[in-house]
Amino acid sequence: MRGQKTFQIHLDPELIEEFNASLTAHEHISEQISFVEKAFEKKRYRGVPAWDCMCSCVHRVRDTVGYLNDQVLGRMEHGSAFDFINFISNASVVLDSIDMLARIIGVDLSQEDARSATFNQTGTNGKGTDKKYFEFLRSLCAVHPVETNRYKGVYHTTDIVTCPYLIWVSGSPLEMVWNCDLHAHAFVNEANSWGEDICIHMDQVFAHIKYRYSLLNKIGCALERFQEAKIDEFRNTPVPDRGEGESELSYVERLKEAEAERFGSNNDFVYDFAKKALSFEPTDPANKAAAERYKNAWRFALDLQLNVLRDMSREGVEHAGIEGDDTDWILFEHLEYCSCLCEELSRFSYNLEKIGYLDGASGESDAAWGRIKLREMDGILGKHVVFDYENDSDGELYMLSRIALYEIVLEHDCEINEAIPLDERYRPQR
């Protein structure tokens, strides 16, 4: 007996990576959220968030393509071709995922679904297609071998067909009789009937899988067109300057709502802090000038943020305030924390973290610990603002610590110092 022939598919893994790149093609316009994720935020697929389905499809396709490429088919185990059963089941995961992506994104595959040139199995009613025949093979050979019942009138005439075995033909005595790579026997549940021979050619199976996998190109192109159209729609939707009679806090709230509509709500907390900074009035007049400089820095950052919302871009000095920032943040996002790598702050990383307990969102005991950690930094922060640990509220101490850190970062090489204009409105006079 001659040795058995083996079969191995190759699906280009770059196809799924290119599609995944399309999902995140405009991540630069929103640091915390994919633009596609925001666009599909409210869409559901059979009750499940569409974005979750899309991510699951991409992960499944990526892993399964790698797995399929590693499989060498052609071995008989325990009397049947279990390697093919495993292969076609996993290949169906890839094809089903691609179909789901097309439906979610709204890509019409009716023309591709109607193809029959690969298997040439149009069935008894002439309505069979490559897609239907592949699904028939999967049902008969793998997932429903004792109850394949959805293809009556196309690939069988009885209500149910069953498959008792599936064998590789290569090397078998009947290789010349069946003239195929894989043979599945189908009982048609009729008296005195031998049943039907289902002859499977692996080049056809591989060709069909490769063709359906290649549809990721079409779906990815449609996704990119969708993104560009959505971005253009937002670019053509005005975000007005602060109006005459509009309060500063109302203006910030309006920008917050515009960002949530365009990019999602991940930056809500930054806008909320900006409103606190702009409305802050220090108790001690000695802190007034520093507080006003910090407010002006926020006003400058908000002007840049208005450009971001209008242009749907975070890139460039006119949007980020910073050119080529390695952190992927923009000035608007840097300002709240005012952190930088400098010697005077290097040993106080724990203190800087715990000062956050004074922001009003933590309990009384945590706030007390935050005061202790803040007082330990008084020798550094106290050079820029005056802390009254006996009379200042937690909220005032917290805001004063942010102001002091802002003044410190302006003395060092960092993103905020690079972005803030060389103007006395924003910087203390030395």
Side-chain angles (χ1 to χ4, degrees):
M1 183 181 296
R2 288 180 295 170
Q4 286 189 312
K5 183 180 179 181
T6 59
F7 307 88
Q8 189 169 13
I9 198 170
H10 177 72
L11 301 172
D12 184 1
E14 285 303 309
L15 270 182
I16 185 59
E17 299 306 330
E18 289 168 3
F19 180 82
N20 187 56
S22 296
L23 282 181
T24 57
H26 296 285
E27 260 189 342
H28 63 277
I29 62 177
S30 180
E31 190 269 329
Q32 291 99 343
I33 188 171
S34 160
F35 184 75
V36 181
E37 181 179 356
K38 170 58 188 171
F40 284 88
E41 184 178 45
K42 296 181 180 179
K43 188 170 183 177
R44 295 288 184 270
Y45 180 80
R46 296 180 182 175
V48 179
W51 176 250
D52 291 351
C53 292
M54 293 170 76
C55 290
S56 295
C57 287
V58 169
H59 285 293
R60 277 290 186 168
V61 171
R62 177 187 285 130
D63 291 347
T64 308
V65 162
Y67 176 75
L68 294 175
N69 284 342
D70 288 342
Q71 302 308 299
V72 179
L73 310 178
R75 293 188 304 166
M76 294 291 294
E77 293 182 294
H78 300 282
S80 204
F82 284 104
D83 53 357
F84 179 78
I85 292 172
N86 174 60
F87 176 85
I88 196 170
S89 296
N90 282 287
S92 295
V93 171
V94 173
L95 304 196
D96 290 347
S97 295
I98 291 168
D99 288 343
M100 178 183 282
L101 289 169
R103 288 191 291 269
I104 291 173
I105 296 170
V107 179
D108 182 11
L109 295 181
S110 57
Q111 184 175 350
E112 290 80 2
D113 291 348
R115 281 171 50 101
S116 60
T118 300
F119 291 112
N120 295 305
Q121 295 285 349
T122 57
T124 55
N125 65 357
K127 296 182 179 179
T129 65
D130 289 339
K131 187 174 188 294
K132 289 180 181 178
Y133 191 69
F134 180 84
E135 291 169 351
F136 167 69
L137 292 180
R138 171 178 173 267
S139 178
L140 185 71
C141 298
V143 294
H144 302 297
V146 296
E147 192 179 2
T148 296
N149 57 19
R150 291 174 54 188
Y151 305 93
K152 180 181 179 181
V154 185
Y155 299 123
H156 54 88
T157 57
T158 54
D159 290 336
I160 295 174
V161 293
T162 62
C163 180
Y165 60 82
L166 175 70
I167 63 172
W168 290 107
V169 172
S170 174
S172 76
L174 295 174
E175 183 175 3
M176 300 301 295
V177 176
W178 285 323
N179 190 31
C180 61
D181 300 313
L182 194 63
H183 175 264
H185 192 80
F187 286 142
V188 294
N189 295 335
E190 292 179 347
N192 302 317
S193 171
W194 163 250
E196 298 179 1
D197 295 318
I198 308 298
C199 294
I200 301 170
H201 299 270
M202 290 304 296
D203 59 340
Q204 294 177 344
V205 173
F206 285 179
H208 176 71
I209 295 170
K210 288 180 178 180
Y211 174 73
R212 298 298 299 190
Y213 178 55
S214 74
L215 296 180
L216 277 174
N217 286 323
K218 178 177 181 177
I219 301 168
C221 288
L223 179 62
E224 290 175 5
R225 289 194 298 270
F226 167 81
Q227 292 182 84
E228 293 296 345
K230 197 70 177 175
I231 290 170
D232 285 342
E233 178 186 331
F234 283 129
R235 282 175 178 155
N236 292 323
T237 302
V239 183
D241 291 322
R242 180 181 171 187
E244 186 176 352
E246 182 179 24
S247 73
E248 192 165 46
L249 300 187
S250 296
Y251 171 62
V252 176
E253 183 65 25
R254 178 161 60 79
L255 295 187
K256 172 184 171 181
E257 292 170 358
E259 171 145 345
E261 181 184 14
R262 286 159 168 75
F263 304 135
S265 57
N266 289 281
N267 266 342
D268 279 3
F269 74 99
V270 186
Y271 286 96
D272 292 340
F273 183 83
K275 288 190 290 185
K276 289 181 180 179
L278 291 170
S279 59
F280 175 65
E281 294 298 335
T283 302
D284 191 331
N287 293 323
K288 185 172 179 58
E292 193 61 27
R293 288 191 291 270
Y294 190 48
K295 290 182 184 182
N296 287 336
W298 275 106
R299 291 171 182 131
F300 177 73
L302 286 164
D303 286 343
L304 296 176
Q305 199 65 6
L306 178 61
N307 293 338
V308 169
L309 298 174
R310 286 172 169 173
D311 299 339
M312 295 297 290
S313 173
R314 292 163 55 93
E315 296 182 336
V317 175
E318 70 277 18
H319 302 112
I322 307 160
E323 192 70 72
D325 178 16
D326 292 337
T327 68
D328 290 328
W329 284 16
I330 59 179
L331 177 62
F332 180 68
E333 294 153 357
H334 277 294
L335 259 186
E336 179 179 357
Y337 299 105
C338 288
S339 59
C340 72
L341 297 175
C342 61
E343 184 177 352
E344 59 193 302
L345 296 176
S346 60
R347 61 190 179 91
F348 289 109
S349 58
Y350 179 78
N351 296 65
L352 291 171
E353 177 186 345
K354 299 310 174 185
I355 288 173
Y357 286 157
L358 298 170
D359 66 358
S362 303
E364 184 176 335
S365 61
D366 284 341
W369 185 244
R371 280 176 171 262
I372 292 172
K373 296 294 106 180
L374 176 61
R375 190 187 288 264
E376 289 176 357
M377 296 188 67
D378 192 77
I380 295 173
L381 302 185
K383 295 177 182 178
H384 303 275
V385 294
V386 178
F387 295 101
D388 185 344
Y389 296 101
E390 301 302 324
N391 298 307
D392 287 348
S393 66
D394 292 342
E396 179 157 7
L397 290 175
Y398 181 70
M399 191 60 68
L400 288 174
S401 74
R402 298 300 102 183
I403 294 170
L405 288 170
Y406 169 71
E407 304 256 306
I408 289 173
V409 300
L410 294 179
E411 299 174 346
H412 299 279
D413 183 15
C414 65
E415 294 80 15
I416 294 177
N417 193 15
E418 180 184 341
I420 294 295
L422 298 173
D423 188 298
E424 63 182 10
R425 289 176 296 171
Y426 312 103
R427 297 173 178 269
Q429 298 302 298
R430 302 301 181 192

